[in-house]
Amino acid sequence: MALFHKVLRGTYILRKCSKPTSALHPLLGIRFADYSSSLQKPVASPGKASSQRKTEGGLQGHHQKEVALDITCPEEKPDVSFDKAIRDEAMDHFRRLKDEIVNHWKGPEGRPLQEALLEQAKVVWQFRGKEDLDKWRVTSDKTIGGRSEVFLKMGKNNQSALLYGTLSSEAPQDGESARSGYCAMISRIPRGAFERKLSYDWSQFNTLYLRVRGDGRPWMVNIKEDTDFFQRTNQMYSYFMFTRGGPYWQEVKIPFSKFFFSNRGRIRDVQHELLLDKISSIGFTLADKVDGPFFLEIDFIGVFTDPAHTEEFAYENSPELNPRLFK
C-alpha cells in the first residue's frame, strides 16, 4: 500500500512541475525513461551503434533543454514590484525634464538657435505611421446625441492621413439641442515631463501651409492658443479652407493675420490678434449642413514665412467695440 502511495505521489508531482527529473519520481524516473526509450529505438547495425547512440544522446539532451525552457511551473509567480514601476516612471519624467532643459539652452528641438531663427519653413505634423495618428483625435456630434460619424486612418502607402465619415444634420431627440451636424479632427496638446502642457512657437512665421486633397467641401481651420493656466476650450481662431474635388493635391496657404477670433462658435465683435508663440493645438471642422459622406486627405501641416505678405492684422477694432485699445 505504501509503495502504491509513493507511485501515485510521484505521478502527481510529475504533472504539477515542469522539470521531469528522477528526484521527483524515484520509482519511475530513470527506469521508466530507459524502458520507453528502448521501445522506440530502431534496429541498427553494430557499426553504426556508437554514432547513433551519440546522436540520440545529443537529441535527447537538446529536447530536455527545450522542455526546461518552454514549460514553467504554475507555482512560480511573476515578480511584480509597484515601487519599481513608480521609480522607473519618475526617472523617465526626470530624464525628459533634463532633455527639455538642455534643448532650451541649445535651441528649439535641440538645434542651434541661429539655425532655427533663419529657417523659412517648418513641417509641424506629417503622417507617415501610426505614431503620427496618435497625435490627433477625432470627435463628432455623437457626443451630444447626433448621428454623424468620423474616422481617421492612414492613407495609401502610409504617406498621408485620411479623415472620412458621414455627416448628418439631424438634431438629437433630447428636447434640448436644436441643431447638429459636425465632425472634427483636433491635434492633441503636447505634453512634457510630469504631464506639463507645452505649446508651439510660430512667432517667426506668418503663414499656415497645408497639402491636402478633399472632395470639394469647405472646412474650418481652428487654432487654439494657450495663454492661461487653464485652457479656454471655447475660444479659438478660425479661417476657411476650401477644397476642390478630384485626384490632385492642393497646397493651401492661410496667413495668420486672416484668422478671426470666435467664442462658442460665434464670431466676436472685438477681435484679437493671434499670439503665435503660444499655440496649443490646431483642428479641422466640417459643418456645412450637407448630409452625406465626406473625406479629407492630409499630407502634412506646416508653417512658413511668406515675404510677400506684410499684413499684420486683417480686422479693425473701433473705439466703441474695444475702448481699451485706443486709450
Side-chain angles (χ1 to χ4, degrees), residues 139-184:
T139 182
S140 68
D141 54 28
K142 273 194 172 182
T143 58
I144 60 173
R147 297 180 177 271
S148 300
E149 293 183 338
V150 60
F151 307 96
L152 180 64
K153 70 175 184 179
M154 291 299 301
K156 293 183 179 179
N157 301 324
N158 291 335
Q159 295 296 315
S160 61
L162 181 61
L163 181 69
Y164 66 100
T166 304
L167 188 70
S168 175
S169 59
E170 181 181 351
Q173 304 298 324
D174 56 0
E176 297 179 359
S177 303
R179 62 186 66 181
S180 181
Y182 72 90
C183 295

Side-chain angles (χ1 to χ4, degrees), residues 191-225:
R191 300 282 179 173
F194 301 102
E195 297 302 319
R196 296 178 299 108
K197 289 194 303 182
L198 302 180
S199 59
Y200 301 98
D201 187 0
W202 299 342
S203 56
Q204 65 187 88
F205 307 101
N206 62 5
T207 305
L208 183 68
Y209 185 25
L210 308 97
R211 188 170 185 262
V212 300
R213 180 164 57 183
D215 55 359
R217 287 176 176 258
W219 290 76
M220 186 72 75
V221 182
N222 306 311
I223 297 179
K224 291 185 179 181
E225 60 180 14

Side-chain angles (χ1 to χ4, degrees), residues 16-80:
K16 188 176 180 181
C17 200
S18 61
K19 297 182 180 180
T21 59
S22 60
L24 296 178
H25 42 94
L27 297 178
L28 297 176
I30 300 175
R31 301 194 178 189
F32 182 78
D34 294 339
Y35 176 72
S36 61
S37 60
S38 63
L39 292 178
Q40 298 176 358
K41 284 183 179 180
V43 179
S45 61
K48 299 181 180 179
S50 59
S51 60
Q52 184 177 1
R53 191 177 300 109
K54 291 181 181 179
T55 305
E56 289 179 355
L59 291 176
Q60 184 179 3
H62 180 68
H63 176 68
Q64 291 179 355
K65 187 179 297 183
E66 287 183 349
V67 170
L69 290 175
D70 294 341
I71 304 177
T72 58
C73 185
E75 293 181 353
E76 297 179 0
K77 297 180 180 180
D79 186 14
V80 178

Side-chain angles (χ1 to χ4, degrees), residues 125-128 136 159-163 185 210-213 249 284 296-301:
W125 293 279
Q126 62 180 354
F127 302 94
R128 301 296 182 266
W136 296 80
Q159 295 296 315
S160 61
L162 181 61
L163 181 69
M185 169 183 174
L210 308 97
R211 188 170 185 262
V212 300
R213 180 164 57 183
W249 291 90
F284 305 90
L296 177 66
E297 192 172 1
I298 306 175
D299 183 6
F300 66 84
I301 304 169

